[in-house]
Amino acid sequence: MATDSTLLEGLTDPQREAVVHHEGPMLVLAGPGSGKTTAVTRRIALLLERGVSPWSILALTFTNKAAGEMRERVRRLTGGRDTRGLTIATFHAFAARQLRMASDRLGVPEDFTIFDAADQKAAAKQAVIEAGLETSNWPPASVLSAIGQAKQQLLGPEEVERNAGDFYTRSVARIYKAYQKILKRSHALDFDDLLRLLATALRDDASLREQLGSRFAYLMVDEYQDTNHAQFVIASAIAASHGNICVVGDPDQSIYAWRGADISNILDFESQYAGATAISLGQNFRSTEHIVQASSGLIAHNESHRARTLHTELGAGDRPILFASLDEHAEAKEVVDRFKRLHDEDSIPWNEMAVLYRMNAFSRVVEDAFRTAGVPYLVARGTAFYQRKEIKDAMAYLRLLRNEADDISLRRIINVPTRGIGGTTMDHVERFAARHDLSLMAAIRRRSEIEAISRRAATSIDRFLAMVDGWHRAMSASLMMPSLAELVARVLDESGLEKAHRAKPGGEEDTERIANLQELVSAAADRDALQDVDRDDQMPTGLEVQLAAWLEAIALVADADTIDPEQGAVTLMTLHAAKGLEFDAVAIIGCEQGVLPHSRAFDDLSQLEEERRLCYVGMTRARRRLLLGRAMSRTQRGIQERQAGSQFLDEIPPEAVRVLEPEDPWASASRVRLDVHPGQPVRHPRFGLGRVVRFGRRPQGATVTVDFVEFGARTLPAAHAALEPTDASDPAF
């Protein structure tokens, strides 16, 4: 069994101070890798060792994983001690338990179920219908985001309705009211209800506040910088009577404002609790000195940053590398090449490497690079690019365009986005198709023979067919539709897929979906740029053939072999998802203005500071090696645009990093990635000998035209030309 001395063994002075402090409010500022879980769990164990009843201790955190880890550590520290009654739980689990215990008093059904994300989306869609609004204008994600924001502020539908000053807010109130009625009919609560109902009860019911405050005499809150208003009210109410509240967190890692987190909760803690003890855990047990120096130098530019000394005893280590590349493909290749060297030469396993990015759409090019290099990877806490819902919707349109007998694709998109061809109509079409042994598309083309279809549905079908036929005509007329990228862009536009996600001011999810759809256009543009290299003969390739080849290539990507878990894999993930994790080697890509920081933060200091914190969180995931990459040009919706480096790169102390800056290819139209010039004899690994004719620029990027001896003139993308200067005396010339 642990004793006071063993529980304090091996701790730094600030950790020891946090562990022994038991009475009164305390703020523990815990920097990245500073051993906060060690301090929290040893504090709980020491309270128990000194005779505090387990029943009196409550520790709240945000994830089941964190709660489970804390419980296990306390169990090990306390040996065989009886800890029954000790509560270490997530905010949501704690709230659910209290609501069940006081269901009659709080007016909730004792047998309530908790709606998961899928249940909530279905309920939100039904609520829009019951509110008399169009589901095409009110996507479930946008609806749930608006309702969630209201619930986090402890506002019910009636309060939202009373405060509504415009059509949008009045509509949200109507949907919110219908949504709550659906939950009530189902004897259900959603995640935000769990916090809202408990917080409201604690705010308004003095006896409940006294009851929980008396029961939980010692309260600890982990990741306090991530608390929203409802969570703040719950914690404050429980601690109101005794003031024994210990909060642990780091304002420099507050990156969830879009999800309701309020950084002022931690920044104002000492104002709320007069005389609170503040302790800073400044020693980093994770990262080497140069990484600590670089990341702390960056975050010091935030006005909300609280100055403190951060240090490590893990040695200087390698300086983080800041590198610039010609474009996103070169950026991804640079990361892959460096990771391969770290794996082969330094024996860093694949599963100790991660690539982080601001937007999910950036995974597409990186996935391609790792797959081409044969390096195992996985997309963590997200979905591989071609498996994302909006991408699968778009690809279903393209597959149908290629093959009208593809019933699965037609079923997926016939009413996505909503266009008045609902389930009842499709039931009639299905039966007609079965009777006449037709594909669904063939049946739809004979819709005049299906008497059960309503006039309104028939009109919607006619519009759908006209749209598809318009795409077919454009594909056949190369002047109208000269490239695959333009075809994809037109499909996204005319199908309404992009418009559906732009319709409402949704949160991060809608922004990500739009970015992913735009990245699909860029993927098609990449295919356009490489088509000259891919072609084996000089016969012109029609757009139908190009589309078929691209769809086949994507299908093969989707069917890639499963990663062998024994070998491990590089992790690809967003910066938001990386919080709480650590790796030996980390690469952050897309360090460009408008990306990181995001363009919407340019005119908002609070958002800019959160973007800086996001970059800081990414940098501090690295133990030994850190790469920060940017592309000097990036393809956006099929158009290559010049990119400015992120201002954050300039804010990192120069002595802490190593900067690699290649020649800017935009400075000269005649120099690309190779030291060749017009008239220069060159050799290509596939087309053989040739002579450079000219350099140029297309929407997809820089090009070089070469007149090959055997294959004639070919225009190649400069980034992938692979040309080597050769001797003009070669007899082949």
Side-chain angles (χ1 to χ4, degrees), residues 351 562-569:
N351 58 7
T562 304
I563 297 165
D564 181 356
E566 297 299 320
Q567 298 297 317

Side-chain angles (χ1 to χ4, degrees), residues 92 100 132 334 422 497 519 583 621 724:
H92 290 90
R100 290 197 193 280
E334 181 77 16
L497 283 177
E519 182 63 19
F583 304 88
R621 299 310 93 196
E724 294 183 7

Side-chain angles (χ1 to χ4, degrees), residues 49-72:
E49 176 64 25
R50 292 184 175 179
V52 173
S53 168
W55 184 262
S56 301
I57 301 173
L58 170 63
L60 296 174
T61 186
F62 279 81
T63 67
N64 290 316
K65 180 181 178 182
E69 181 182 352
M70 288 173 66
R71 281 194 296 268
E72 177 59 23

Side-chain angles (χ1 to χ4, degrees), residues 64 74 116 158 174 273 296 326 333 344 348 481 590 690 695 712:
N64 290 316
V74 170
D116 63 17
E158 293 77 14
R174 285 167 59 190
Y273 296 96
S296 59
L326 171 68
K333 187 176 185 302
D344 296 340
I348 297 179
M481 187 66 61
F695 293 89

Side-chain angles (χ1 to χ4, degrees), residues 398-469:
L398 296 169
R399 285 198 300 270
L400 186 67
L401 193 55
R402 168 61 183 162
N403 173 21
E404 290 201 351
D406 187 344
D407 287 353
I408 292 176
S409 292
L410 181 66
R411 285 191 188 96
R412 183 180 184 97
I413 53 83
I414 188 65
N415 206 38
V416 176
T418 306
R419 57 171 57 89
I421 309 176
T424 301
T425 298
M426 287 307 296
D427 287 343
H428 297 316
V429 172
E430 295 262 9
R431 286 193 287 270
F432 182 85
R435 282 198 307 271
H436 294 83
D437 194 23
L438 299 172
S439 69
L440 293 182
M441 192 65 164
I444 283 175
R445 290 192 179 280
R446 292 171 58 177
R447 63 93 184 151
S448 60
E449 301 175 39
I450 310 175
E451 297 179 358
I453 292 181
S454 68
R455 181 176 299 177
R456 181 178 178 183
T459 301
S460 297
I461 288 174
D462 289 344
R463 288 174 180 161
F464 176 78
L465 291 173
M467 176 177 69
V468 173
D469 289 344

Side-chain angles (χ1 to χ4, degrees), residues 458-646:
T459 301
S460 297
I461 288 174
D462 289 344
R463 288 174 180 161
F464 176 78
L465 291 173
M467 176 177 69
V468 173
D469 289 344
W471 297 337
H472 277 298
R473 287 193 297 273
M475 287 175 64
S476 301
S478 59
L479 292 179
M480 292 175 59
M481 187 66 61
S483 75
L484 193 59
E486 291 182 25
L487 172 65
V488 175
R490 179 168 172 174
V491 169
L492 295 181
D493 178 35
E494 295 181 2
S495 68
L497 283 177
E498 275 192 303
K499 183 180 178 182
H501 294 295
R502 296 184 188 277
K504 288 294 177 182
E508 287 278 321
E509 184 175 354
D510 282 312
T511 301
E512 290 280 6
R513 291 188 189 280
I514 293 167
N516 287 337
L517 290 172
Q518 293 177 343
E519 182 63 19
L520 185 64
V521 181
S522 296
D526 288 344
R527 186 75 185 187
D528 285 330
L530 292 173
Q531 66 176 333
D532 283 334
V533 175
D534 288 340
R535 201 166 65 222
D536 287 321
D537 52 48
Q538 299 184 58
M539 294 296 292
T541 304
L543 199 51
E544 295 91 343
V545 177
Q546 294 175 40
L547 176 60
W550 188 47
L551 292 175
E552 179 179 309
I554 291 171
L556 292 174
V557 166
D559 292 336
D561 293 340
T562 304
I563 297 165
D564 181 356
E566 297 299 320
Q567 298 297 317
V570 177
T571 301
L572 314 184
M573 67 195 329
T574 65
L575 286 159
H576 281 104
K579 188 171 179 292
L581 303 178
E582 58 186 72
F583 304 88
D584 279 348
V586 169
I588 304 175
I589 61 171
C591 296
E592 299 143 25
Q593 286 295 96
V595 178
L596 181 68
H598 196 283
S599 56
R600 64 170 171 249
F602 290 165
D603 300 320
D604 187 322
L605 179 60
S606 64
Q607 287 196 42
L608 182 63
E609 293 211 343
E610 175 143 339
E611 292 289 307
R612 189 178 284 111
R613 291 194 293 270
L614 189 58
C615 186
Y616 172 75
V617 165
M619 294 173 70
T620 56
R621 299 310 93 196
R623 297 192 194 103
R624 298 163 52 192
R625 305 295 176 87
L626 175 62
L627 307 173
L628 297 167
R630 72 176 183 93
M632 290 186 290
S633 66
R634 188 173 295 277
T635 307
Q636 301 183 53
R637 213 175 192 275
I639 305 298
Q640 191 180 46
E641 298 179 354
R642 186 168 189 177
Q643 298 291 104
S646 170

Side-chain angles (χ1 to χ4, degrees), residues 94 98 106 195-213 230-231 233-238:
F94 173 73
Q98 300 308 313
L106 301 180
L195 302 181
R196 176 178 70 97
L197 293 173
L198 180 59
T200 302
L202 285 168
R203 181 193 64 189
D204 300 339
D205 188 334
S207 62
L208 179 63
R209 196 162 56 244
E210 182 180 350
Q211 175 189 329
L212 290 186
Q231 290 159 333
V233 170
I234 291 170
S236 300
I238 293 173

